[in-house]
Amino acid sequence: MTETTDVTTLRGDGSGRDAAGRVIVVLNPGAGSGLLRSELTDRGWQVRMADLSGGDLAGCVEGVTDLLAAPDSPARAVLLGYGEAGRAAMEIADRHPERVVAVVTVTSPRGEAAVTTTGSPQDETAVVTVDSRDAVVNGSSPAPVAAVDSPGVGRLRASDLSCPVLALNTADPRAVVSAAVSFLDGLHRPVDAPRTCPARLPALTPVLLNDPDVIGQLREAGPAHRLNAAGVATSWILTGHGATTTTLADSRLVADVAITPGFRLQSPDVTHRGEQDLITIEGREHARLRRLVGQYLTPRRVETLRPRMQRVVDDLLDGLPPGETVDLLRRFALPLPTVVLCELFGVPERDRGYIHEWLVERMRAVPPVAHDDVDDYLRALIEERKSRPSDDLLGWVVEAEGDRLSEDDLVAAARFLMVGGHRAPTTLLASGVAALLRDRDQWTRLVDDPGLLDGAVEELLRFVTPFPVGLARQATAPIEIGAARIPEGDLVAASLVAANRDPAVFTDPDVLDVGRAANPHLAFGHGHHYCLGAALARAQAQIAIGTLVRRFPAMDFAGDSRSLHYRQSRVRYLLELPVVLEPK
């Protein structure tokens, strides 16, 4: 798929893998690439040139993926791509943030690659852009952000990436070289501060909230930190188990401010809040809706649903070829929560494709838009329950409420449960299975001792933490947390990753241990926003993982686990999980 030429070696030990990221891969070399190679070689960089055979975006992405999978590929590198290869570099940085130090995209002013700049206040990552008239880059200056419009993979913005991005829109070779060299020099300025000095920590963007190492440094520096990102509401992040449980129980924190997943204030024009609708409404209404359905999602009630969930799991696994490579994410982890939700709400089998399409495809719309057809569909299901009682959540509520029933409330509660109940179980199942297979001893322990299953699910909830950040709440009065004083009106959210890996609470917190005895994790949150569907999520994971372990004890990755593709933004999740259920 690719041809690569190693055009220079590092001065010193000559190893690109130990070069602290001073390796750059130039994809589909173009204007200025030869001059850039010479300039960077003199500065001690290892430069690799790669001609990608695929001309379109998908082909370029596949080519870069193959390049990084090669045995002699650098562990981490800067990716510089010309034209379509620049868009591919951003895709790879999104999927493999652990492999990419930074991205540089180069397009001609009349080129076809859709690298654009916008000054939207919702963008979170400062990105430098230059054209042929402005070849000198000041890496500390705020600038518009770059975006790539990627058919088939969606619109990817630089703010989605966890690494620096430089977008160049020029045909002048010297402008490319001058801007790129200045940008790359800025990546490796020496830092002599101690590891725990908060002044030297990276800007805390939602992307970095997934990173246990970054969060660990913050936790060591103190229990509360200002979220430092452009276009974001004034926010504070809690970074410890004790600070999280104490602060989130504080009555001075309320959840009646409209926000979006990136902590941006929501437009007042949006009344139907999409993925965030119930969890950002006024507190008293939120409590009323939770009471309406909460009594039907208790562990005792969920136990009655276990036979249905087991049947769903078996049906999905029965349809998978045991001796062939299958994407366990697409064929199992993704559809399972949707089907379980359909069972919970009594959605007829003929309509389950419609619910799946809504949850998996339409709910990704940005900004959130109203889905009135879904509300109408839920109302129709509720109306049916009035004349024909049924053994599902809608039927239980309709029967119990009788004439007191508010259809609007039940529709809102049902919509909330469906929206909140599909992504987290998918992330837990896919990332949890990947973690177990990557640490084969832990998978083997489960195979040998099924009695560890319940504890293993709790450990995966802690280790994976499907939602790394809890819901932001607004301070109604000044609050002091450690040395930090949070002003009235600011938002406060908890890093559940930091809480779940706090060494003051968990022994060897970065180690996956399916036999861990004490496990007071906060994966389901804390306080009055504790996950309403916690019992359902637990049961679903126990049945799914338990069945996989029992039926396919030899299951393994179809390839190298290092090639797994993750999407990392505010929530880190797998894009695919290739496995073989019964390896030969």
Side-chain angles (χ1 to χ4, degrees), residues 271-323:
T271 55
H272 188 306
R273 298 177 176 84
E275 283 192 299
Q276 297 288 306
D277 60 352
L278 181 66
I279 52 183
T280 58
I281 64 175
E282 193 273 331
R284 286 171 295 182
E285 184 180 359
H286 171 264
R288 187 179 74 252
L289 297 184
R290 284 180 66 97
R291 283 195 299 269
L292 180 63
V293 296
Q295 59 185 308
Y296 305 107
L297 289 171
T298 62
R300 183 179 60 82
R301 279 278 193 176
V302 168
E303 279 298 311
T304 67
L305 297 174
R306 276 184 175 266
R308 301 188 205 179
M309 288 190 279
Q310 184 66 64
R311 184 175 65 249
V312 170
V313 167
D314 288 335
D315 288 346
L316 287 172
L317 292 178
D318 287 345
L320 303 182

Side-chain angles (χ1 to χ4, degrees), residues 40-355:
L40 291 179
T41 299
D42 288 342
R43 291 170 179 266
W45 282 77
Q46 182 186 53
V47 183
R48 298 189 178 196
M49 300 289 190
D51 294 314
L52 308 178
S53 60
D56 60 1
L57 177 61
C60 286
V61 169
E62 184 178 353
V64 182
T65 301
D66 290 346
L67 176 67
L68 294 181
D72 62 344
S73 66
R76 301 191 75 222
V78 175
L79 299 183
L80 186 153
Y82 285 81
E84 206 75 352
R87 299 169 68 190
M90 290 185 69
E91 272 294 320
I92 293 299
D94 183 47
R95 299 181 184 185
H96 295 282
E98 74 284 356
R99 301 292 301 275
V100 181
V101 176
V103 172
V104 180
T105 66
V106 183
T107 56
S108 167
R110 294 178 295 278
E112 295 182 356
V115 177
T116 60
T117 62
T118 102
S120 168
Q122 294 191 4
D123 297 317
E124 300 168 2
T125 305
V127 179
V128 179
T129 63
V130 300
D131 58 26
S132 57
R133 295 165 297 177
D134 182 15
V136 180
V137 177
N138 179 357
S140 63
S141 299
V145 298
V148 292
D149 194 3
S150 309
V153 292
R155 186 171 178 80
L156 178 63
R157 292 186 173 276
S159 56
D160 292 325
L161 305 184
S162 58
C163 66
V165 179
L166 170 65
L168 301 175
N169 187 26
T170 177
D172 183 348
R174 293 190 178 277
V176 171
V177 173
S178 177
V181 168
S182 179
F183 174 72
L184 295 174
D185 281 348
L187 297 177
H188 295 284
R189 293 191 180 101
V191 175
D192 299 323
R195 181 174 181 270
T196 58
C197 176
R200 294 297 186 181
L201 292 173
L204 185 56
T205 64
V207 171
L208 291 180
L209 295 172
N210 293 277
D211 189 327
D213 184 59
V214 171
I215 292 300
Q217 294 179 48
L218 288 164
R219 185 179 56 240
E220 293 173 14
H225 304 270
R226 174 85 174 265
L227 185 66
N228 183 19
V232 174
T234 304
S235 308
W236 296 78
I237 296 297
L238 307 177
T239 54
H241 194 283
T244 295
T245 55
T246 300
T247 306
L248 294 190
D250 195 316
S251 60
R252 291 173 292 178
L253 289 179
V254 299
D256 59 359
V257 59
I259 57 171
T260 62
F263 302 128
R264 306 181 194 96
L265 293 177
Q266 182 62 279
S267 166
D269 298 329
V270 179
T271 55
H272 188 306
R273 298 177 176 84
E275 283 192 299
Q276 297 288 306
D277 60 352
L278 181 66
I279 52 183
T280 58
I281 64 175
E282 193 273 331
R284 286 171 295 182
E285 184 180 359
H286 171 264
R288 187 179 74 252
L289 297 184
R290 284 180 66 97
R291 283 195 299 269
L292 180 63
V293 296
Q295 59 185 308
Y296 305 107
L297 289 171
T298 62
R300 183 179 60 82
R301 279 278 193 176
V302 168
E303 279 298 311
T304 67
L305 297 174
R306 276 184 175 266
R308 301 188 205 179
M309 288 190 279
Q310 184 66 64
R311 184 175 65 249
V312 170
V313 167
D314 288 335
D315 288 346
L316 287 172
L317 292 178
D318 287 345
L320 303 182
E324 302 175 12
T325 297
V326 296
D327 183 355
L328 199 67
L329 172 69
R330 184 175 63 86
R331 300 287 297 276
F332 184 61
L334 189 60
L336 175 61
T338 302
V339 180
V340 168
L341 288 168
C342 287
E343 287 285 341
L344 176 66
F345 286 97
V347 175
E349 192 165 344
R350 66 178 180 274
D351 296 336
R352 293 180 179 182
Y354 167 71
I355 297 298

Side-chain angles (χ1 to χ4, degrees), residues 292-571:
L292 180 63
V293 296
Q295 59 185 308
Y296 305 107
L297 289 171
T298 62
R300 183 179 60 82
R301 279 278 193 176
V302 168
E303 279 298 311
T304 67
L305 297 174
R306 276 184 175 266
R308 301 188 205 179
M309 288 190 279
Q310 184 66 64
R311 184 175 65 249
V312 170
V313 167
D314 288 335
D315 288 346
L316 287 172
L317 292 178
D318 287 345
L320 303 182
E324 302 175 12
T325 297
V326 296
D327 183 355
L328 199 67
L329 172 69
R330 184 175 63 86
R331 300 287 297 276
F332 184 61
L334 189 60
L336 175 61
T338 302
V339 180
V340 168
L341 288 168
C342 287
E343 287 285 341
L344 176 66
F345 286 97
V347 175
E349 192 165 344
R350 66 178 180 274
D351 296 336
R352 293 180 179 182
Y354 167 71
I355 297 298
H356 180 84
E357 185 262 347
W358 168 53
L359 290 174
V360 176
E361 300 296 335
R362 294 169 61 193
M363 284 303 302
R364 295 180 179 179
V366 177
V369 296
H371 299 140
D372 293 334
D373 60 307
V374 176
D375 289 358
D376 292 341
Y377 178 80
L378 292 172
R379 290 182 191 281
L381 289 182
I382 293 169
E383 195 63 31
E384 287 181 10
R385 297 325 186 256
K386 292 179 180 178
S387 57
R388 292 198 303 272
S390 59
D391 187 22
D392 53 58
L393 190 143
L394 294 180
W396 301 335
V397 175
V398 168
E399 181 179 5
E401 292 295 305
D403 294 338
R404 303 189 309 273
L405 177 67
S406 166
E407 286 193 9
D408 288 345
D409 282 357
L410 186 51
V411 167
R415 187 175 61 227
F416 160 62
L417 288 172
M418 285 189 168
V419 168
H422 82 284
R423 178 180 290 181
T426 292
T427 301
L428 174 63
L429 183 54
S431 297
V433 168
L436 289 169
L437 293 181
R438 188 179 288 115
D439 192 341
R440 193 71 195 186
D441 288 345
Q442 300 302 310
W443 176 267
T444 301
R445 289 178 70 186
L446 269 182
V447 170
D448 294 341
D449 186 359
L452 293 174
L453 178 62
D454 289 359
V457 168
E458 298 306 307
E459 175 68 347
L460 291 174
L461 283 163
R462 183 196 70 84
F463 191 79
V464 171
T465 311
F467 282 109
V469 185
L471 299 172
R473 306 177 191 186
Q474 190 174 41
T476 59
I479 299 176
E480 292 188 359
I481 305 174
R485 187 176 189 274
I486 298 176
E488 178 182 353
D490 282 10
L491 299 179
V492 180
S495 167
L496 302 182
V497 171
N500 284 343
R501 300 208 180 195
D502 191 338
V505 178
F506 303 98
T507 303
D508 296 326
D510 294 326
V511 173
L512 177 65
D513 178 7
V514 296
R516 190 180 296 273
N519 203 335
H521 66 78
L522 301 179
F524 291 122
H526 184 75
H528 70 277
H529 274 288
Y530 182 82
C531 178
L532 189 60
L536 184 67
R538 278 191 170 100
Q540 189 175 163
Q542 291 165 0
I543 293 169
I545 294 174
T547 303
L548 285 170
V549 167
R550 184 180 71 254
R551 291 182 57 174
F552 307 110
M555 182 175 70
D556 205 352
F557 292 117
D560 191 331
S561 64
R562 291 175 297 179
S563 66
L564 293 178
H565 293 175
Y566 284 89
R567 174 67 183 271
Q568 179 162 301
S569 52
R570 183 171 181 260
V571 177

